[in-house]
Amino acid sequence: MLSNKELKDLVEKNKEELLKLCSDLIKIPSVNPPGDVEEIVEYICNYLKEHNVSYEVLRPTPGTPDIVARYGNPNGKKLILNGHCDVVPIGDRNRWAFDPFSGEIKDGKILGRGTSDMKCGLAGLIFVMCLLAKNNIELDGEIILTVVPDEETFGDWGTKWLTESGTVTGDACIIGEPTGYFNCEIGQKGNASFKLIAEGTPAHGSLSPFVGENAIVKLLKVLSKVDSIRDIVPRYSDEVAEVMQESREMAKKLIAGNGAWHVVNHCTVNIGTIKGGTKVNMVADHAEAEIDVRTPIGVTVEMVEEQIVKILREADVSNVRYEMLYNAEANSTDRKADIVEAVAQNVLDVWGEELNRTYQWASSDARYFRYLGIPTLQYGPADLEGIHAYNETVGVQDVINAAKVYVGAITDYLKK
Ligand SMILES: [Zn+2]
């Protein structure tokens, strides 16, 4: 068995292969929507095959191939490696300074859509797994690589299906999502979005407000109070509070909006759509609005619902009801979980920096693993500015170092 240092040297020695893999994946435009990932999946399968890594492709529905590859000792601990191979659309091509699908490497950067989110993180995981296989490195446990097609559109047939169907389970999970070189994500917000529906009594507009009951007026009365959802006080342990504090500090640096770091440990409330009424001279008999609510760790969907009920009671209007829309609980992994410690140790080794453990305000597939109680962290190379925007790039050294962190963390974690 090679030592941790020798394994990292092996990554260094083979870095050109890693960079070519990154470039090749960028060149295949697996844009979602529409979400056609057949070509990139075929490419990854061929790469695994060349390195004698056994895999299967599962298709829960047509057009949603999931790759599940395994290497190591199935009787030991199981470490899941996860990444999505889809990318968001490029938007306006004219606003890119370079071809988003060239995969060109220039001035220490890899260029293109998906470099940060997350083809280079994914390439790192695939490359490391194949490197271990190619060199016949014996592991005490098993690596299970899952490549999913649809993270950018909620992951229903990718990670959600793989976990909920029991196809994939494990003792811990690393996701190569972009976090930057000495940050990792160990928790994220949930979602308690809902719809308000107001019914009124129609009448001729000339008689309002004496005759009829205006649904728009009733809806506005309730909407004027929904902001109070932001006042819900989260409940969490001192340990979570510590990570929360670090996350607020990071958000301060990353979010330009004045005071926007509050999003980390408060609910956010966004009235996203509103519609109602039929005609200007009719008293509106129907109105509705959709409200996007993101819940921090320590606030459950149930707590938000209780607040909605309270708002409706206080607004004192008849025939206004709510329906919950897309809901997911906030989720987190213990800051001292073995897998987090393994990554922290290797980040220190590779970068000479303490790993910063933070909670995110956005969400990802990590939640599906955490709902099963699998300690999960996200760690991957990133230039955060270009993600879901224009001119996406990633640093070459960041990609190589991430792969070194992966190989060290994987082998450290799987030791008996
Ligand atoms: Zn992503």
Side-chain angles (χ1 to χ4, degrees), residues 113-155:
R113 169 57 83 225
T115 41
S116 280
D117 188 11
M118 56 161 283
K119 285 181 172 173
C120 296
L122 176 64
L125 295 171
I126 296 169
F127 166 80
V128 161
M129 185 177 192
C130 290
L131 192 72
L132 293 169
K134 191 167 75 179
N135 290 281
N136 295 313
I137 306 291
E138 270 185 43
L139 299 174
D140 290 331
E142 188 180 39
I143 304 171
I144 304 170
L145 171 74
T146 55
V147 182
V148 297
D150 60 353
E151 195 274 342
E152 298 294 3
T153 49
F154 297 114

Side-chain angles (χ1 to χ4, degrees), residues 82-104:
N82 173 277
H84 62 88
C85 62
D86 58 332
V87 295
V88 293
I90 59 163
D92 181 358
R93 169 66 180 87
N94 293 321
R95 294 182 65 179
W96 284 75
F98 47 80
D99 174 1
F101 300 111
S102 74
E104 192 187 350

Side-chain angles (χ1 to χ4, degrees), residues 54-74:
S54 67
Y55 67 89
E56 51 186 335
V57 178
L58 304 164
R59 293 174 183 275
T61 62
T64 57
D66 292 307
I67 305 174
V68 180
R70 294 168 196 267
Y71 177 74
N73 173 7

Side-chain angles (χ1 to χ4, degrees), residues 355-408:
L355 180 67
N356 203 10
R357 298 149 210 227
T358 56
Y359 301 138
Q360 254 186 356
W361 54 89
S363 65
S364 74
D365 277 356
R367 65 184 182 277
Y368 299 120
F369 295 110
R370 296 196 184 116
Y371 291 160
L372 292 184
I374 300 171
T376 299
L377 101 167
Q378 297 188 165
Y379 179 79
D383 286 346
L384 295 173
E385 315 74 57
I387 295 175
H388 290 212
Y390 300 109
N391 300 328
E392 188 175 349
T393 59
V394 74
V396 166
Q397 197 56 49
D398 207 353
V399 172
I400 297 165
N401 282 5
K404 290 180 184 174
V405 170
Y406 292 150
V407 82

